[in-house]
């Protein structure tokens, strides 16, 4: 080659090199695996292959190269030896998938030699496996799993939505004990301590698992402990086996609740149970969730992807310059790797993998995992139904679309129905085959079952109460049965209230609700000789008597001073003066509707007579009408006629059902003062107690006398129609509606509500009311109804007295006009009136003598 060709060659070399992609070569990553990882070389090679990375012209297909070291079992000594060996061979980072003890020593190697370590342990490990000195700014070990405290936080959020007071915790590794310890501590901090029974299942093979699980569960039941709340924390085989044993020993029923915290998928066995199991498991994207999926293997895939993204960034950094490989020795010629660039990149990285978001906290934990909550419902012989009902993550907490342990499709289902016996809504008849329930609500339930093709199993609420919130925050009665998921629906005359709506859902109201007062029908009053005076008040009677004499005197004055009255008329054999006794007789005769003399033939007298007759007409009509009512129904002396009357007296005791919605109403309204405060204080202070345990007991006390019972109008109407010695008084108050209760978010609520609306629109509800309330009534309307009668007081009759006074005034005015007219006529003609007594010739005898 000529000497002058060398510069040209160098120039061409530079140009060619500038167009060739930059190649860093493969970067060694030390991989430590134990037997439980179950990751073979082929699978590992596929994880490290860069098939999912596009060639951007700057990076070749060469990338990360695994240097694999395998250990037998969870062996800390082998783990530390292999870790030191790999570091001495010059690997840039460590990647491990081992047990917790091996992980602990690998963390020590990483921290001592200051080499980044990404851990994907085969199971969750305690917080202590990741020690961190105060002098270290960033951790060297990055755990792809979340802290165990995250599991406890998630369980705490779930348990706080339930009414648990005791739980049986089943686990197969000590890390589960750590989770449960954190859970109990967090619940105590929340003010909701939880009693726990711990059941550890130790096993190596599945045969050991089945045998040990059967022994532990059987021993638990033999001790007389039959728990209803469970938390299972362990491997998928444990969850599957424990479900089979729970079905065997009747621990997977409607009365039991199971939460299974499971990172791996579980193949749910086919059981003949009827319970619901809530699975709390990790959410993986772009991955098929199957029984073959290993969580640590999926985390390993995300760890390799994280290193693949971080190593090129570290290479591209100007500050990146790997020093000589360190070792685990402590001679003066052993130099530790002071470079922390890759470590800092991992500490601040945030990426998305198959396990979701990957981001580490200050201690190196990946707490960004997202969990999904799935209800698996066992449907007897109809298989299972699985529904995703929510999720949980550290940032947003618990997100539920519907409550835990909620049953879904109502079609082809067997619903558990809790009832409270209350005639005529729900009634019970004992038969050799067991109790049979029937009534108004059962007819509605039958129609719902017919419309939506479901079956139901009825049981009576154990405490026979409707349900109120107790001082400890829990609920009793039918509402408590629904809250604890022992019942899918509560069917009875449950009142829809705001307090109950906060914890359960109700259907549309099927009937109106109101509270009235029932008491014993009073005995007939003793006959009163002067009962005919009762229709009118005493003031009215004295006013009538005064009117009789007042009008009589006025009529006499009219006769006396009117120019055309009886005193101005000629007197013959049939003529006489209308003196005071005559006018009194005329007024009384008119009052008795018997007529009377004399007939008034002058204007002022006729005006007064007309108004008097009108007055008599109104008085007689009012007296006659009220007398009929008094003679028929006024014989009952009702002591109280309204709730206001009840609150204003102390002779009759009154109360309602203990632990009922109505009792809660009086308790809450008593804080407002006024009538309800007086009533509540009276009921609370009564001895014996004014409250009763059941409606039947309340009605029995009413029939004994001296007690008034406050309860639902519909129930009281039914009882009144069958117990003729009872009466209902007062207007309804505390109005609302009845509905069927079910768990919050129950998907079948709208379907059942539509049935109620259709029954109301078609008139079916009214027919059922007639069937259960009216048809079988044994009391007549007259016996069962009390018409309130009151005396007519003067205020009610003041108008007719005013009209009479107006007539008196008009008659006086007419008298004055008559006198004035007579005076004018006399002056104009100058002759005495032909009717004057002066013109009447004196009588003469036949012989012409005058009669003196």
């Amino acid at each position: 080659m000529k000497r002058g060709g060398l510069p040209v060659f160098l120039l061409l070399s530079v140009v060619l090199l500038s167009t060739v992609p930059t190649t860093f070569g493969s970067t060694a990553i030390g991989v430590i695996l134990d037997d439980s990882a179950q990751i073979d070389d082929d699978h590992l090679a596929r994880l490290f292959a860069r098939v999912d990375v596009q060639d951007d012209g700057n990076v070749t297909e060469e990338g990360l190269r695994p240097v694999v070291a395998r250990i037998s079992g969870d062996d800390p000594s082998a783990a530390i030896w292999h870790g030191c060996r790999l570091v001495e061979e010059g690997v840039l980072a460590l990647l491990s998938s081992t047990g917790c003890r091996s992980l602990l020593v690998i963390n020590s190697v990483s921290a001592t030699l200051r080499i980044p370590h990404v851990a994907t342990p085969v199971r969750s490990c305690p917080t202590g496996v990741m020690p961190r000195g105060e002098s270290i700014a960033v951790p060297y070990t990055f755990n792809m799993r979340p802290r165990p405290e995250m599991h406890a936080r998630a369980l705490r959020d779930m348990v706080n939505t339930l009414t648990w007071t005791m739980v049986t915790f089943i686990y197969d590794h000590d890390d589960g004990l750590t989770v449960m310890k954190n859970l109990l501590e967090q619940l105590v901090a929340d003010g909701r301590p939880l009693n726990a029974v711990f059941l550890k299942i130790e096993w190596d093979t599945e045969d050991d698992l089945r045998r040990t699980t059967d022994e532990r569960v059987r021993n638990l039941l033999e001790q007389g402990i039959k728990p209803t709340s469970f938390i299972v924390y362990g491997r998928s085989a444990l969850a599957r086996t424990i479900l089979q044993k729970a079905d065997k020993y009747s621990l997977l029923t409607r009365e039991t609740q199971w939460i299974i915290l499971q990172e791996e998928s579980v193949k749910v066995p086919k059981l003949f149970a009827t319970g619901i199991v809530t699975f709390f498991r990790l959410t993986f994207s772009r991955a098929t969730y199957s029984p073959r999926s290993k969580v640590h293997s999926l985390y390993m895939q995300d760890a390799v992807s994280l290193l693949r993204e971080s190593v090129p960034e570290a290479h591209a950094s100007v500050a990146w310059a790997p020093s000589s490989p360190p070792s685990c020795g402590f001679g003066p010629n052993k130099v530790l790797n002071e470079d922390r660039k890759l470590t800092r990149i991992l500490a601040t990285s945030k990426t998305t993998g198959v396990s979701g978001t990957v981001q580490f906290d200050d201690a190196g934990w990946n707490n960004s995992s997202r969990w999904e909550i799935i209800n698996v419902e066992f449907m007897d012989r109809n298989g299972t139904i699985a529904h995703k009902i929510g999720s949980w993550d550290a940032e947003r907490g618990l997100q539920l679309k519907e409550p835990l342990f909620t049953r879904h499709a109502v079609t082809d289902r067997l619903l558990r129905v809790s009832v409270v016996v209350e005639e005529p809504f729900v009634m019970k008849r004992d038969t050799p085959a067991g109790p049979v329930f029937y009534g108004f609500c059962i007819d509605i339930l039958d129609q719902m079952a017919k419309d939506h093709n479901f079956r139901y199993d009825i049981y009576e609420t154990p405490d026979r109460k409707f349900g109120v919130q107790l001082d400890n925050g829990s609920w009793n009665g039918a509402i408590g049965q629904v809250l604890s998921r022992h019942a899918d629906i509560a069917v009875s005359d449950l009142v829809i209230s705001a307090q109950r709506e906060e914890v359960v859902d109700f259907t549309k109201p099927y009937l109106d609700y109101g509270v009235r007062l029932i008491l014993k029908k009073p005995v007939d009053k003793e006959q009163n000789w002067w009962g005919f005076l009762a229709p009118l008040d005493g003031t009215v009677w004295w006013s009538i008597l005064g009117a009789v004499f007042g009008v009589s005197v006025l009529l006499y004055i009219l006769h006396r001073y009117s120019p055309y009255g009886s005193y101005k008329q000629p007197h013959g054999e049939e003529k006489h003066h209308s003196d005071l006794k005559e006018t009194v007789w005329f007024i009384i005769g008119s009052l008795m509707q018997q007529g009377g003399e004399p007939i008034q033939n002058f204007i002022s007298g006729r005006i007064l007579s007309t108004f008097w007759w009108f007055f008599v007409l109104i008085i007689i009509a009012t007296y006659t009408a009220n007398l009929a009512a008094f003679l028929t129904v006024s014989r009952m002396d009702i002591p109280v006629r309204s709730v206001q009357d009840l609150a204003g007296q102390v002779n009759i005791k009154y109360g309602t059902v203990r632990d009922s919605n109505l009792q809660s109403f009086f308790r809450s309204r008593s804080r407002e003062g006024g009538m309800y405060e007086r009533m509540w204080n009276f009921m609370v202070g009564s001895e014996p107690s004014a409250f009763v345990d059941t409606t039947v007991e309340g009605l029995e006390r009413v029939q004994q006398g001296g007690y008034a019972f406050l309860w639902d109008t519909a129930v009281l109407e039914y009882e009144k129609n069958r117990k003729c010695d009872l009466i209902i008084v007062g207007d309804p108050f505390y109005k609302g509606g009845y509905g069927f209760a079910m768990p919050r978010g129950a998907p079948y609520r709208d379907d059942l509500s539509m049935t109620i609306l259709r029954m109301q629109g078609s008139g079916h509800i009214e027919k059922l009311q007639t069937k259960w309330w009216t048809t079988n009534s044994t009391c007549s309307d007259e016996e069962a109804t009390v018409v309130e009668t009151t005396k007519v007081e003067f205020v009610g009759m003041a108008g007719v007295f005013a009209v009479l006074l107006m007539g008196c005034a008009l008659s006086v005015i007419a008298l004055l006009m008559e006198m004035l007219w007579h005076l004018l006529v006399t002056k104009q003609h100058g002759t005495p009136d032909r009717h004057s007594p002066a013109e009447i010739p004196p009588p003469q005898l036949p012989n012409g003598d005058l009669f003196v």
Side-chain angles (χ1 to χ4, degrees), residues 662-684:
L662 185 56
Q663 186 190 41
S664 299
F665 165 78
F666 278 110
R667 183 189 295 112
S668 61
R669 291 295 297 272
S670 66
R671 305 185 186 99
E672 302 175 4
M675 180 184 73
Y676 292 110
E677 181 183 16
R678 295 196 308 271
M679 295 182 70
W680 174 253
N681 292 336
F682 183 83
M683 288 187 285
V684 172

Side-chain angles (χ1 to χ4, degrees), residues 709-728:
F709 185 52
L710 294 159
W711 199 237
D712 304 0
T713 300
V715 178
L716 299 185
E717 289 285 352
Y718 176 82
E719 297 295 340
K720 178 202 66 175
N721 290 339
R722 284 149 183 80
K723 297 178 175 65
C724 303
D725 59 340
L726 302 179
I727 57 172
I728 301 174

Side-chain angles (χ1 to χ4, degrees), residues 477-674:
I479 300 297
Q481 294 294 301
V482 173
L483 280 175
S484 62
R485 301 301 192 273
H486 291 162
D488 300 313
I489 182 173
V491 173
S492 188
D493 50 327
L494 283 171
V495 179
I496 303 174
S497 66
Q499 190 179 26
R500 288 174 174 174
E501 282 271 29
E502 292 178 355
V503 295
V504 298
D505 283 344
F506 283 93
T507 61
K508 295 292 183 182
Y510 61 82
L511 204 63
D512 292 334
Y513 165 80
V515 177
R516 293 184 70 186
L517 173 67
I518 192 169
L519 41 77
K520 188 174 182 179
K521 185 181 295 185
V523 297
D524 292 349
K525 294 191 304 180
E526 296 181 358
Q527 298 295 334
N528 185 357
W529 285 12
W530 306 100
F532 66 91
L533 299 176
L536 301 181
D537 187 64
T539 305
V540 178
W541 283 117
W542 286 110
S543 299
I544 293 174
L545 184 61
V548 168
F549 288 100
V551 174
S552 299
V553 171
L554 180 59
L555 185 59
Y556 166 75
I557 293 174
L558 295 180
H559 275 284
R560 181 67 178 83
Y561 292 101
S562 175
Y564 308 103
S566 60
Y567 276 88
K568 304 297 183 180
Q569 300 295 325
H571 296 274
E573 295 180 358
E574 297 180 359
K575 300 293 183 178
H576 61 277
H577 296 298
S578 293
D579 53 11
L580 183 58
K581 65 179 181 180
E582 295 292 338
T583 56
V584 170
W585 179 251
F586 170 75
I587 294 300
I588 293 176
S590 300
L591 182 62
M592 298 299 161
Q593 296 183 324
Q594 298 300 318
E597 292 292 344
I599 301 300
Q600 315 306 323
N601 56 358
F602 58 101
I603 295 177
S604 58
R606 289 180 176 181
I607 290 176
L608 182 60
S609 298
T610 301
F611 278 90
W612 173 253
W613 290 335
F614 175 78
F615 172 82
V616 169
L617 175 65
I618 300 301
I619 292 295
I620 295 300
T622 302
Y623 175 80
T624 304
N626 215 32
L627 178 63
F630 266 83
L631 292 178
T632 54
V633 299
S634 65
R635 292 175 299 175
M636 296 182 184
D637 187 12
I638 304 175
V640 293
R641 301 180 182 275
S642 65
V643 177
Q644 291 77 11
D645 293 345
L646 193 66
Q649 57 83 47
V650 294
N651 296 323
I652 300 177
K653 291 186 177 181
Y654 52 88
T656 186
V657 175
R658 186 180 291 105
D659 291 340
S660 64
N661 182 66
L662 185 56
Q663 186 190 41
S664 299
F665 165 78
F666 278 110
R667 183 189 295 112
S668 61
R669 291 295 297 272
S670 66
R671 305 185 186 99
E672 302 175 4

Side-chain angles (χ1 to χ4, degrees), residues 468-476 499 659 664 667 671:
V468 295
Q469 189 172 21
L470 304 179
D471 295 336
N472 60 4
S474 63
W475 287 74
N476 63 3
Q499 190 179 26
D659 291 340
S664 299
R667 183 189 295 112
R671 305 185 186 99

Side-chain angles (χ1 to χ4, degrees), residues 179-447:
V179 171
M180 193 60 189
K181 176 178 178 293
N182 290 330
L183 170 62
L184 296 178
E185 290 175 351
Q186 294 179 28
L187 289 174
V188 169
D190 293 341
R192 291 198 58 187
L194 187 66
N195 297 321
V197 175
F198 294 89
L199 204 65
K200 185 177 181 180
I201 309 294
E202 295 180 321
W203 62 281
D204 293 323
T205 65
E206 292 203 8
D207 289 339
D208 293 339
L209 174 62
R210 286 189 290 269
R211 183 181 62 257
T212 304
T213 303
D214 193 88
E215 291 176 356
R216 298 303 304 274
V217 173
R218 188 173 62 253
N219 291 338
L220 183 70
L221 297 177
E222 288 176 353
Q223 296 175 16
I225 303 174
K226 189 171 183 179
T228 59
S229 306
F230 298 86
I231 294 178
V232 180
Y233 186 96
R235 288 167 281 181
S236 59
L238 172 65
R240 183 176 63 254
T241 303
I242 201 67
L243 289 178
Q244 292 171 337
K245 300 305 177 183
D247 185 30
K248 175 182 177 180
Y249 291 104
S250 300
L251 293 176
L252 188 57
T253 64
R254 294 173 181 270
E255 287 75 26
T256 58
Q257 297 176 349
W258 291 78
I259 294 178
I260 298 181
L261 193 151
Q262 185 63 53
E263 293 180 331
E264 298 176 354
S265 61
V266 177
K267 185 178 181 180
V268 180
K270 185 176 181 180
L271 306 175
F272 297 105
T274 57
I276 296 180
V277 176
T278 296
F279 284 89
F280 184 64
R281 69 184 188 186
L282 284 167
T283 302
F284 292 97
S285 60
R286 307 199 312 272
T288 302
Y289 210 76
S290 67
R292 294 186 299 275
S293 300
K294 300 298 182 181
V295 172
H296 64 274
S297 178
L298 298 174
Y299 276 134
M300 176 73 77
Q301 181 177 340
D302 285 348
V304 173
S305 299
L306 180 64
L307 287 171
R308 186 183 299 128
E309 295 177 4
S310 302
V311 168
E313 184 178 350
H315 283 319
S317 173
V318 176
W320 187 84
S323 59
S324 59
S327 70
C328 294
F330 296 98
N333 60 336
K334 304 301 181 181
V335 180
L336 299 180
N337 184 4
E338 296 291 345
D339 177 68
R340 301 181 184 177
K341 185 62 179 177
L342 181 58
T343 303
R344 294 184 181 276
I345 291 174
L346 292 173
T348 59
S349 63
K350 182 178 182 181
T351 185
T352 302
V354 295
S355 62
T357 302
V358 177
Q359 187 176 19
F360 303 103
D361 63 10
D362 294 340
W365 293 92
N366 175 25
N367 295 323
S368 301
S369 298
R370 185 176 178 86
W371 299 74
E372 60 184 357
I373 302 170
I374 299 174
N375 266 359
V376 176
E377 182 178 356
F378 292 89
M379 301 174 58
D380 196 6
R381 300 178 182 273
N382 298 323
T384 59
I385 297 179
H387 298 275
K388 180 179 178 180
I389 64 171
S391 62
W392 186 92
D393 57 54
E395 181 179 354
R396 293 180 297 178
L398 186 64
Q399 303 286 322
L400 289 178
K401 296 185 295 184
E402 59 188 59
L404 302 173
F405 308 107
T406 297
R407 298 186 178 273
H408 275 259
V410 69
T411 303
D412 297 328
R413 292 285 307 280
L414 176 65
L415 295 184
R416 183 78 164 160
V417 179
S418 175
V419 298
V420 179
V421 175
E422 179 83 285
E423 298 181 357
F425 293 93
V426 177
M427 294 180 278
K428 183 174 71 171
R429 180 174 59 250
D430 293 325
T431 66
V436 175
F437 296 91
Y438 62 101
F440 178 77
C441 288
I442 305 302
D443 286 349
I444 298 178
L445 182 63
D446 288 337
Q447 187 63 44

